[in-house]
Structures are given as structure tokens and as C-alpha cells.
Amino acid sequence: MSKVIVFGSLNMDLSVGCPRVPGAGETIIGHGFLASPGGKGANQAVASARMGVVTHMVGAVGKDVFGTRVVQSLVEAGVLCERVRALKNVPTGTATILRAEGDNRIVVDPGANAATPADVVCSAIDDIAKPGDIFLAQLECDLDTTVDAIAYARESGLYTILNAAPVAMLPSDVYQAIDLLCVNETECKALTDISPDTERGCMRALMAFSARGVATTVITLGAKGSVARIADDVYRMGSFELNAADTTAAGDTYLGVLAAQLSQGLDIVDAMRWASAAGALATTREGAQRSIPSLAEVQKLL
Ligand code: ADP
């Protein structure tokens, strides 16, 4: 059995309800303040660890109370955090969320996530990883560091997964170092200029990623499920129909569970089934990390 090594962001999400969006220079009274651990990297690590798989988090926080809290949340979920560095003179990443008029307005300060030195990732790979382990990254940390880390992980014999979220323009040579690329509909459109909203669109987008050198591409399609191109074959996975209350972290849950099941030797289509069940369960509860299901819940749904 191999393990999962997640390189990515750790954030504290600070969310407050407002009766309306305040104007410039104005102070208003809000309600329902919530501080909850998040960040795509951290959420995906939690999803992997909840499947009972050995999961390491690699990344950085600031030397502050938010840093302590977000690491504590990962440790409580069973994620190994020895490779999360606490950096001086930089704050823990935050997402400040104003909930007003039925919409969210979000400001992200990447803080320590953008300052993670590349050697933190490379030395973690040298010290912890074995060939065949899964390396899972997203795009909330510094782009150059992430691209270098993927190349280093691949050279070290790891199976590399990139979740290209939030979307960024990637250097063309990174695609060949990615064993499995996962994008949602918006990211797919931004990277290929093709909307995967029809059967033909999906096929064309999957072909476009293959042409860039990606071995396997998975496109997640929200309530419509997901679709993958593995070598020359295309597979569709329907979604599990549950009562969705809040889709936050559905994608992160899907990625973490996909990586976890691949590390246990499942083939990609079986791993997609587990990921779809877990993603659907995450939509039935509010919030990010606390909405991610346990192994027992996913087993029951499957
Ligand atoms: P993201 O959150 O990155 O936009 P998606 O919305 O595509 O990602 O969701 C990822 C996966 O989670 C989907 O492929 C699907 O399997 C599952 N999922 C998402 N939304 C729903 C839903 N409303 N009902 C059932 N499953 C869902």
C-alpha cells in the first residue's frame, strides 16, 4: 500500500453574514461570524485521511494562532503534519468571506502558502516518499514552486495528480509531468477554451489535455458527475443523487478520496466511484472540512 502526500494551501476561513455589502468608509453590524479551517490542500488532505489512508501534508502556515488552529484541525482528522513549516514574518493564509444578499464576496490572502520554500517540498519528498506514492497538488500556493514540485515528484517515481484549481495559466512543459489532471467545468474552459457542457465538448477537452501530454484527465461536472480519459478510453461516472445543501468542498473531497483510493491500488474508474460518493456526501452538509465524510459513510452509500 502506498500513501498520499499533499502539497498545498492551509487557510483559516473567516466568514461573516452582513445585511448588505458595506460601502466605502462605512461600518455595519454583521452576524454569524465563523472561523473554520480550510484551504484546498488542507481540505484534500482531510478527505484522504478520512479514508484511513496514511496522508502527509506539506506546506506552510505563519507563527500565529490561525496557524496553530489549522494544523490542529488536520491532526484531529489524522493527517500527518510534521512537514508543515511555521514561517516567521508572514501570516497564515486567510479567506475573508462576506455573506451578503445571497452571495459570497471573498478576499484571499495567501500569506504563508505563497511563501513556502521549494526545498520544504523537495526535502519532504526525499525523506517521506517512496516510488509509487501519490503526490497531490493544487494551485493555491506559489505557481513556480508547485510546478517544480510536480516535476521533482515525478522524477522521484511518485504518481502525480494536479487539481488545477483555482485556475492559472500553466507552463506547457508541466503537463508531461502530470499523471492525472483533474479540473472542474470552469477550469476546463479556462485552460482549453472548450466548455465540457456537451458530450462533444467533453471529448474535445479531454483530447486537448491528452495532446498536451497528460496521461489521464478527469473533468468533474458537479451534479452531472465526472468523465475521464484514460489512455485512449473515455469513462463516465454519474453522480449519487442526495439532497445537496452546500457544495463547498465537494471538489476537494472528490480529489482527496480519488488520491486515497488510487494509493490503495484501486483502478481509476473504481477510485472515481468512491470519489463521487464522497463528493455527493460532502454536499449534504454545510462547511468545508466538517462536511467531508468518513470511510464508513462512503462505504454505506456505495
Ligand atoms: P468543484 O467543487 O471543484 O467545482 P464539482 O462541483 O464538479 O467540483 O464536484 C466534484 C464532484 O462532486 C462531482 O464530480 C460529483 O461527483 C460530486 N458532486 C458535486 N455536486 C454534486 C451534487 N449536487 N450532487 C451529487 N454529487 C455532486
Side-chain angles (χ1 to χ4, degrees), residues 287-299:
Q289 287 177 15
R290 63 202 173 113
S291 74
I292 298 171
S294 66
L295 174 64
E297 287 174 297
V298 183
Q299 274 171 331

Side-chain angles (χ1 to χ4, degrees), residues 14-246:
L14 305 168
S15 164
V16 64
C18 318
R20 60 187 168 77
V21 180
E26 188 187 10
T27 300
I28 60 169
I29 303 297
H31 61 273
F33 177 80
L34 279 174
S36 52
K40 286 187 171 295
N43 296 344
Q44 295 182 12
V46 167
S48 171
R50 291 224 169 118
M51 295 302 105
V53 167
V54 176
T55 305
H56 290 266
M57 181 77 210
V58 181
V61 293
K63 283 198 180 219
D64 50 32
V65 284
F66 289 159
T68 308
R69 179 71 195 93
V70 297
V71 170
Q72 184 195 349
S73 172
L74 288 181
V75 170
E76 282 165 7
V79 178
L80 301 167
C81 290
E82 288 78 16
R83 297 293 165 155
V84 177
R85 183 87 60 92
L87 302 177
K88 276 190 208 147
N89 304 323
V90 59
T92 297
T94 49
T96 302
I97 305 161
L98 290 191
R99 310 189 305 268
E101 297 160 351
D103 255 322
N104 286 337
R105 287 172 174 76
I106 306 177
V107 183
V108 172
D109 178 350
N113 296 311
T116 312
D119 71 280
V120 169
V121 198
C122 296
S123 63
I125 291 171
D126 288 343
D127 297 346
I128 330 169
K130 292 206 168 55
D133 284 346
I134 308 280
F135 182 80
L136 170 60
Q138 321 74 30
L139 298 177
E140 277 187 338
C141 293
D142 178 71
L143 184 60
D144 289 340
T145 305
T146 305
V147 166
D148 290 349
I150 292 169
Y152 193 74
R154 171 56 101 68
E155 280 166 28
S156 308
L158 279 71
Y159 183 89
T160 57
I161 304 180
L162 177 67
N163 173 213
V167 76
M169 285 310 127
L170 297 168
S172 57
D173 54 352
V174 72
Y175 287 102
Q176 284 145 36
I178 302 170
D179 289 301
L180 190 154
L181 175 72
C182 185
V183 290
N184 70 9
E185 292 167 284
T186 317
E187 293 140 12
C188 176
K189 170 85 168 83
L191 290 174
T192 61
D193 214 19
I194 302 166
S195 282
D197 53 359
T198 59
E199 192 65 33
R200 195 174 122 76
C202 278
M203 294 306 136
R204 286 180 54 226
L206 290 169
M207 294 284 283
F209 286 121
S210 293
R212 291 178 197 179
V214 182
T216 297
T217 302
V218 176
I219 305 175
T220 63
L221 304 164
K224 291 181 284 202
S226 49
V227 58
R229 182 178 159 99
I230 306 161
D232 284 335
D233 295 318
V234 173
Y235 297 88
R236 266 201 177 269
M237 183 64 58
S239 70
F240 289 77
E241 280 185 38
L242 301 177
N243 281 333
D246 172 16

Side-chain angles (χ1 to χ4, degrees), residues 182 218 220 226 237 249-259 272 275-276 278-279:
C182 185
V218 176
T220 63
S226 49
M237 183 64 58
D252 290 339
T253 302
Y254 186 102
L255 261 298
V257 172
L258 187 76
M272 283 168 72
S276 305

